[in-house]
Amino acid sequence: WYDSATEVILTPGNYTVQYKTIDNWNTPPQEEVVVEEDIKTEKTGTYTHHKGSLAVTIDPEAARTAGAKWSIDSGVTWKESGDTLSNIPTGTYTVTYKVITGWTKPGDTPISVIKNQEATTKGTYTRDKGSLKVTIDPEAARTAGAQWSIDGGKNWNNSGEPLLEIPTGDYTITFKPIEGYGTPADINITITKGSSIEKEGTYSCIRRVGGENPDYLTIQAAINEANPGDTILVAAGTYP
């Protein structure tokens, strides 16, 4: 076997030029050549690379919506989930995945593209998560049904009941209104990857003086039993 462009001295005659078979390449057909005395004969053999295709699917849909993509050129070119790269040279490629906020990307995936075949693989992103625990005071409010929520009251949680594996992002803690108590103000929080957040919400007792069904008959009696943050509602009237 000779390297490309090697000049070989031959006696005049008929010869057959053959090309060596190499992996992942189509071998040029053999050629008949006539060598004449004192004449330089040249031939060119062109190898063509075997071709195949590659398709990558990304899950879940939420990650795709958030911008998840894949690449085989280290991110120079990003492809969408389900895209197919056709007629690419055979060989081994490394599929990499794009970093997106709030998600952990799949690990790099080596994959072999074979002649006239479609190689496929799947990359699954996982949502970054944290946890949250909210404590409610006083005990009397908890007994009366005080609870907290991070979804606008669709789901209510008890005091001290942790929510685990909350997807990262911004949330607002709201508190359930209950009869006889002032509701704590909303609390804005940000859940980050691996975070464990603890918050408190304190209900204020509403103490009614006078009017229908009063808690107290005098203002001073309500003041004597009030705790910091309590609200005293005084009905119109004259009090001792």
Side-chain angles (χ1 to χ4, degrees):
W1 296 107
Y2 299 102
D3 291 333
S4 176
T6 299
E7 187 172 317
V8 180
I9 299 175
L10 301 170
T11 58
N14 296 324
Y15 294 87
T16 299
V17 178
Q18 296 176 308
Y19 297 91
K20 186 176 182 179
T21 300
I22 57 175
D23 291 341
N24 296 320
W25 292 84
N26 294 309
T27 307
Q30 66 182 28
E31 298 181 82
E32 302 298 326
V33 62
V34 177
V35 175
E36 301 180 49
E37 188 172 359
D38 297 329
I39 296 177
K40 182 177 180 179
T41 302
E42 294 184 359
K43 289 291 182 180
T44 299
T46 302
Y47 285 77
T48 56
H49 210 303
H50 292 171
K51 300 290 181 65
S53 60
L54 169 63
V56 179
T57 302
I58 293 174
D59 282 333
E61 181 179 356
R64 299 194 295 269
T65 301
K69 292 180 174 61
W70 62 276
S71 174
I72 59 169
D73 56 14
S74 300
V76 175
T77 305
W78 291 110
K79 297 295 180 180
E80 302 285 347
S81 175
D83 284 353
T84 299
L85 292 178
S86 301
N87 294 319
I88 59 175
T90 56
T92 300
Y93 295 85
T94 298
V95 178
T96 58
Y97 297 90
K98 190 174 185 179
V99 174
I100 56 175
T101 302
W103 296 80
T104 297
K105 70 183 185 70
D108 295 349
T109 305
I111 189 168
S112 296
V113 174
I114 300 173
K115 180 182 179 182
N116 297 330
Q117 295 185 27
E118 180 178 272
T120 61
T121 189
K122 178 186 288 187
T124 300
Y125 282 72
T126 55
R127 192 71 163 89
D128 293 341
K129 296 178 180 179
S131 65
L132 170 65
K133 182 173 75 172
V134 177
T135 302
I136 293 175
D137 285 321
E139 181 179 355
R142 299 195 296 269
T143 302
Q147 293 179 304
W148 61 276
S149 174
I150 58 170
D151 57 12
K154 293 179 181 178
N155 296 282
W156 291 108
N157 308 287
N158 293 324
S159 174
E161 181 179 287
L163 288 184
L164 306 176
E165 298 190 348
I166 304 172
T168 55
D170 295 327
Y171 295 87
T172 298
I173 302 171
T174 58
F175 296 88
K176 189 175 185 179
I178 55 174
E179 181 67 26
Y181 288 87
T183 308
D186 295 348
I187 302 173
N188 295 319
I189 61 168
T190 299
I191 298 291
T192 57
K193 183 179 180 180
S195 63
S196 181
I197 296 176
E198 296 189 12
K199 294 294 182 179
E200 296 181 358
T202 301
Y203 282 74
S204 61
C205 182
I206 298 176
R207 303 176 185 274
R208 294 178 173 83
V209 179
E212 295 184 6
N213 301 316
D215 299 314
Y216 304 93
L217 297 178
T218 67
I219 296 173
Q220 189 59 52
I223 293 173
N224 291 341
E225 293 194 17
N227 295 310
D230 286 357
T231 299
I232 298 175
L233 298 180
V234 180
T238 302
Y239 296 91

